[in-house]
Amino acid sequence: MNTTLTNTLENGGKPSDKGFLAYIRRMNRLFLCTVIVPTLLSILYFGFIASDVYISESRFIVRSPDRQSASPLGIIFKETGFSSEQDDSYTVQDFMLSRDALKSLDYKLGVRKIFASNNVDIFSRFAGLDWDDSFEALHIYYQDKVSIEIETVSSISTLTVRSFSAEDAFRMNQLLLEMGEALVNQLNELGRQDMIRFAQGEVRNAEKKAKEAALALSAYRNQKGVIDPEGEASIHFEHIAKMQDELISSQALLMQLQAFAKNNPQIPSLQVKTKNLRHEIEIETARVAGGNRSLANKAAEYQRLALEREFANTQLGSVLASLEQARNEAQRKQLYLERIVQPNKPDMAMEPRRIRGIFATFLLSLISWSILTMLIAGVKEHQD
């Protein structure tokens, strides 16, 4: 200390070069390397090198008019006839972060040139230090600049885009929302086509079955020579009933004549008439319920074919109604992407947070210096 003071006095009150160098040598080199240098570098980077980052934010929700939601916000949407669809929100999220979305952005906006611009500092720009300008590397870099968060309760998605100019961040956010809306419209169109295609297939199958049932019934009628066995049987039954009534009357009259006027000339004719009536009744009865060619035998198969035709026609009417309903459903959207907050065009850079970055570097450096100091002291004490 006296030597330093003497040197200072000899130099007119100013510390000599040798004294200053000696003072530097006496400083804790570990503190210099772990605290002073990193802090100075952070001041240099955050103060003069780091590029401004602008953040554009928007919010949207994917909704369906058919399904229910149990959340408080979903109850509000339910009153307007809509409910949130979280699964479809994840679909939109995956698409916005996908390679397809990045390709579209690069084609329309040139995001590769935006992120790799020489106006961006080398530590933040794309392919700045590693020189890897492949599309896979760009996709990894893109996922660091675009993020989507979905609230589990309300299913509201927040889209955040970071870029090095306010205009680029705004345009990227807006274009991503437009692509999300196009994806939802595409999902609606695919759903409509699948719904109508399925209903039309069911109609074709039902029409085929109805046609086959009608042809089978027609072939059976032609083969058996009948139109409606039950209807024809009822006509035959009525005819048999009339002949039986006439037979009963003829037999009664014949018995009276035979009892009281045996020589009456009407008796032979009545006998012939009753005999003919019995024969006709037997023939008609055989047609209705006797043998394999009877109407009763034909009625069972006819009823089966008629029931098949009726069932096929009923099924055809049902699927035609389903097709009409599917077409009506296809006229309205099944999913909606509604913008709750439009993309904002930032008027100031939100990142990097320079003071916080410098303070965090200093704090971490100080912690590192403390840990290393204790470790070195422990090693020296162990050696002693």
Side-chain angles (χ1 to χ4, degrees):
M1 183 67 180
N2 293 333
T3 304
T4 305
L5 182 59
T6 303
N7 293 332
T8 302
L9 294 174
E10 290 177 355
N11 289 276
K14 296 181 180 180
S16 64
D17 293 339
K18 294 182 180 179
F20 180 74
L21 293 175
Y23 175 75
I24 293 297
R25 292 191 187 98
R26 286 197 299 270
M27 290 181 63
N28 190 329
R29 293 182 179 179
L30 181 63
F31 183 81
L32 179 67
C33 294
T34 57
V35 179
I36 301 300
V37 173
T39 303
L40 290 177
L41 290 176
S42 68
I43 293 174
L44 177 64
Y45 175 73
F46 288 108
F48 303 99
I49 298 177
S51 301
D52 292 334
V53 177
Y54 295 85
I55 301 176
S56 177
E57 189 176 277
S58 62
R59 294 187 179 186
F60 64 90
I61 187 171
V62 179
R63 301 187 294 182
S64 171
D66 295 328
R67 302 178 187 173
Q68 302 293 326
S69 176
S71 65
L73 187 59
I75 294 175
I76 297 176
F77 287 146
K78 179 182 176 182
E79 294 177 357
T80 61
F82 293 90
S83 63
S84 60
E85 290 301 316
Q86 192 172 14
D87 294 340
D88 299 307
S89 297
Y90 284 118
T91 302
V92 175
Q93 176 189 19
D94 290 342
F95 171 75
M96 288 183 175
L97 297 177
S98 67
R99 292 171 176 81
D100 293 337
L102 176 58
K103 287 180 180 178
S104 181
L105 284 175
D106 191 28
Y107 176 76
K108 296 179 180 179
L109 300 180
V111 293
R112 182 187 291 269
K113 294 181 180 179
I114 292 174
F115 290 144
S117 173
N118 292 329
N119 296 327
V120 182
D121 70 87
I122 193 171
F123 300 100
S124 301
R125 79 176 66 153
F126 169 64
L129 294 176
D130 56 4
W131 304 97
D132 184 5
D133 60 349
S134 64
F135 185 79
E136 291 298 327
L138 178 62
H139 183 241
I140 296 174
Y141 184 89
Y142 166 79
Q143 289 182 324
D144 185 57
K145 296 301 180 184
V146 177
S147 62
I148 303 177
E149 296 181 359
I150 301 177
E151 297 181 10
T152 56
V153 177
S154 62
S155 296
I156 295 177
S157 301
T158 302
L159 173 61
T160 304
V161 178
R162 291 173 170 83
S163 187
F164 302 104
S165 70
E167 182 66 23
D168 291 337
F170 169 74
R171 292 170 61 195
M172 288 174 61
N173 198 319
Q174 191 174 37
L175 186 56
L176 283 173
L177 284 180
E178 292 176 358
M179 289 191 294
E181 292 172 349
L183 174 65
V184 170
N185 293 333
Q186 182 181 359
L187 293 176
N188 284 326
E189 183 62 25
L190 290 175
R192 286 194 291 264
Q193 292 178 358
D194 290 341
M195 186 185 304
I196 295 177
R197 188 184 302 112
F198 177 77
Q200 288 176 341
E202 291 295 315
V203 169
R204 286 193 295 269
N205 293 333
E207 287 177 345
K208 182 179 179 181
K209 292 180 180 179
K211 184 177 180 180
E212 291 176 352
L215 290 176
L217 183 61
S218 177
Y220 181 79
R221 284 172 172 171
N222 294 331
Q223 181 183 0
K224 300 299 182 179
V226 294
I227 298 177
D228 186 357
E230 293 182 353
E232 293 181 10
S234 63
I235 295 174
H236 283 286
F237 279 129
E238 291 179 0
H239 184 52
I240 291 172
K242 290 180 180 180
M243 288 192 297
Q244 286 177 343
D245 292 338
E246 188 176 356
L247 177 60
I248 293 171
S249 300
S250 298
Q251 286 178 343
L253 180 59
L254 179 61
M255 291 175 63
Q256 290 177 0
L257 291 176
Q258 288 177 347
F260 300 103
K262 295 180 179 181
N263 297 322
N264 192 310
Q266 293 183 356
I267 292 176
S269 62
L270 287 174
Q271 290 175 345
V272 173
K273 182 178 181 181
T274 55
K275 182 179 179 181
N276 292 335
L277 286 173
R278 288 193 185 95
H279 182 68
E280 290 294 330
I281 290 173
E282 290 176 358
I283 294 174
E284 293 296 329
T285 303
R287 290 180 181 175
V288 175
N292 295 329
R293 300 179 61 85
S294 66
L295 293 175
N297 185 50
K298 298 176 182 178
E301 183 66 16
Y302 176 85
Q303 289 177 354
R304 184 183 68 82
L305 295 174
L307 285 175
E308 289 182 356
R309 185 189 64 175
E310 183 179 357
F311 177 76
N313 291 334
T314 303
Q315 187 178 12
L316 177 59
S318 177
V319 295
L320 285 174
S322 299
L323 176 60
E324 186 65 24
Q325 183 179 3
R327 287 173 176 171
N328 292 334
E329 289 291 331
Q331 297 301 319
R332 59 194 185 101
K333 290 184 177 181
Q334 301 299 315
L335 294 174
Y336 292 81
L337 191 150
E338 294 290 342
R339 300 187 186 187
I340 298 177
V341 178
Q342 294 290 340
N344 68 302
K345 190 172 184 179
D347 55 0
M348 63 176 295
M350 301 300 296
E351 293 179 358
R353 299 181 179 179
R354 304 179 189 277
I355 296 177
R356 189 178 71 173
I358 295 172
F359 179 75
T361 303
F362 173 74
L363 185 61
L364 292 175
S365 300
L366 194 62
I367 294 173
S368 301
W369 172 76
S370 301
I371 294 174
L372 290 175
T373 300
M374 289 187 292
L375 288 175
I376 293 173
V379 172
K380 287 184 179 179
E381 183 179 356
H382 181 71
Q383 290 178 350
D384 295 339

